[in-house]
Amino acid sequence: MRTISSIKELKAYRQANSVEKTTGFVPTMGALHEGHLSLCQRSMDENDFSIASIFINPTQFDSSVDLESYPSCIEKDLEVLERMGISAVFLPNDQDMYHDNFAYQLQETSFSEKLCGANRPGHFTGVLTVVMKLLNLVWPNRAYFGKKDYQQLELIRGMCAAFFLDVEIVGVETVRDPEGLALSSRNALLNEEGLKMARKLNKMLALRDADDIVSSKLSEEGLLVDYVETHKGRRYGAVRAPGKAGSIRLIDNVTLEASV
Ligand code: PAF
């Protein structure tokens, strides 16, 4: 596995490996779990080369506390990626990615203001800006994103269409623990009680009840509900559960045909 830490090196690597080969790209913020690995595996199955990136993107965090507490374990991540057989990993730093001091930003003005965007102002501008930068640098044929972050996936698809980017955006099914909790880097920050409560989220989003009833049921379980809302046949939910240090925000979504 090639570890690439500068943009110059990444460009040279892409030029050397681009002729008649397909490249898949998996952008991540590290603290890799089975969900990320399923994105990497899908990329490796569908492309000649697969590049992952690890970059904790500061512009998508709405508080410095959240940014500072985001888990990071780069050595372990690199070992896991190497073991799976990823071709290369790109590890940019803040200065590489934001040499413009975030003066240029990519903003979506409709769906990004709903759901997570309503609770986390500026979050999706940070996500879309960094994803656009990464896609321009890595220049993949396909890029892989998890369906757990379905709003993010939809916004990235919309951005690529709006700006005529020649990349296929592939949405990959959410990987869950045996009790249905969507795997997330943030799960590691939950305390025992928080983990138990968090495991209710997916099951309750799938109930046939109306959004407000589901929201009340989640509150009764002790979760702090940011939102439960349905858009285009998909129910989205965000809650806060007790963590080892402060509350931890978790999201999930279900298609309503799957409701019980
Ligand atoms: O889903 C994530 O981990 C991040 O939002 C992404 C797409 C890597 C951008 O920083």
Side-chain angles (χ1 to χ4, degrees), residues 237-254:
V239 294
R240 289 171 201 267
K244 292 169 189 157
S247 70
I248 306 302
R249 191 171 187 280
L250 301 167
I251 61 171
D252 204 347
N253 64 87
V254 297

Side-chain angles (χ1 to χ4, degrees), residues 93-221:
N93 59 38
D94 289 5
Q95 180 53 30
D96 285 333
M97 296 306 287
Y98 292 110
H99 56 86
D100 64 336
N101 286 324
F102 199 39
Y104 289 86
Q105 306 183 0
L106 206 153
Q107 191 186 7
E108 194 271 0
T109 56
S110 175
F111 191 40
S112 72
E113 290 173 11
K114 300 185 181 358
L115 305 171
C116 284
N119 289 265
R120 305 179 69 192
H123 167 67
F124 286 118
T125 294
V127 170
L128 293 178
T129 304
V130 82
V131 171
M132 177 63 107
K133 286 176 186 246
L134 288 167
L135 290 175
N136 283 333
L137 288 169
V138 176
W139 181 37
N141 301 85
R142 300 187 183 90
Y144 296 80
F145 297 87
K147 289 190 182 177
K148 177 178 75 72
D149 299 296
Y150 207 88
Q151 187 180 12
Q152 166 176 284
L153 173 65
E154 285 287 281
L155 288 166
I156 290 169
R157 282 206 169 113
M159 172 185 82
C160 292
F163 291 93
F164 310 106
L165 294 195
D166 199 8
V167 57
E168 182 188 340
I169 300 299
V170 183
V172 179
E173 286 311 322
T174 304
V175 179
R176 300 182 180 280
D177 80 358
E179 295 191 44
L181 174 65
L183 298 194
S184 161
S185 307
R186 290 177 193 270
N187 294 352
L189 305 174
L190 291 165
N191 65 23
E192 215 175 298
E193 188 201 5
L195 183 62
K196 236 190 209 164
M197 288 182 184
R199 289 192 163 127
K200 308 274 181 195
L201 177 60
N202 182 258
K203 293 187 183 83
M204 294 208 165
L205 288 180
L207 293 173
R208 279 201 191 280
D209 300 314
D211 292 347
D212 56 341
I213 305 287
V214 170
S215 176
S216 307
K217 288 187 175 173
L218 287 165
S219 302
E220 281 161 24
E221 294 294 338

Side-chain angles (χ1 to χ4, degrees), residues 2-171:
R2 208 35 206 276
T3 303
I4 299 173
S5 36
S6 76
I7 289 177
K8 196 168 158 215
E9 214 185 321
L10 177 67
K11 283 189 176 158
Y13 179 83
R14 284 298 289 119
Q15 267 155 11
N17 294 308
S18 63
V19 183
E20 291 181 18
K21 303 271 190 211
T22 58
T23 296
F25 176 45
V26 182
T28 80
M29 299 206 295
L32 303 181
H33 51 66
E34 289 298 323
H36 296 110
L37 302 191
S38 79
L39 303 180
C40 292
Q41 192 55 57
R42 178 89 178 262
S43 172
M44 288 164 60
D45 292 344
E46 294 180 352
N47 300 281
D48 299 308
F49 288 92
S50 288
I51 302 177
S53 64
I54 300 177
F55 177 61
I56 301 183
N57 174 34
T59 65
Q60 71 188 76
F61 288 83
D62 38 24
S63 86
S64 53
V65 178
D66 196 20
L67 172 60
E68 277 150 30
S69 63
Y70 199 81
S72 165
C73 45
I74 192 81
E75 299 300 324
K76 187 167 155 255
D77 290 346
L78 293 177
E79 262 172 43
V80 172
L81 291 172
E82 171 127 53
R83 216 175 312 124
M84 327 199 35
I86 277 278
S87 324
V89 57
F90 177 45
L91 303 169
N93 59 38
D94 289 5
Q95 180 53 30
D96 285 333
M97 296 306 287
Y98 292 110
H99 56 86
D100 64 336
N101 286 324
F102 199 39
Y104 289 86
Q105 306 183 0
L106 206 153
Q107 191 186 7
E108 194 271 0
T109 56
S110 175
F111 191 40
S112 72
E113 290 173 11
K114 300 185 181 358
L115 305 171
C116 284
N119 289 265
R120 305 179 69 192
H123 167 67
F124 286 118
T125 294
V127 170
L128 293 178
T129 304
V130 82
V131 171
M132 177 63 107
K133 286 176 186 246
L134 288 167
L135 290 175
N136 283 333
L137 288 169
V138 176
W139 181 37
N141 301 85
R142 300 187 183 90
Y144 296 80
F145 297 87
K147 289 190 182 177
K148 177 178 75 72
D149 299 296
Y150 207 88
Q151 187 180 12
Q152 166 176 284
L153 173 65
E154 285 287 281
L155 288 166
I156 290 169
R157 282 206 169 113
M159 172 185 82
C160 292
F163 291 93
F164 310 106
L165 294 195
D166 199 8
V167 57
E168 182 188 340
I169 300 299
V170 183

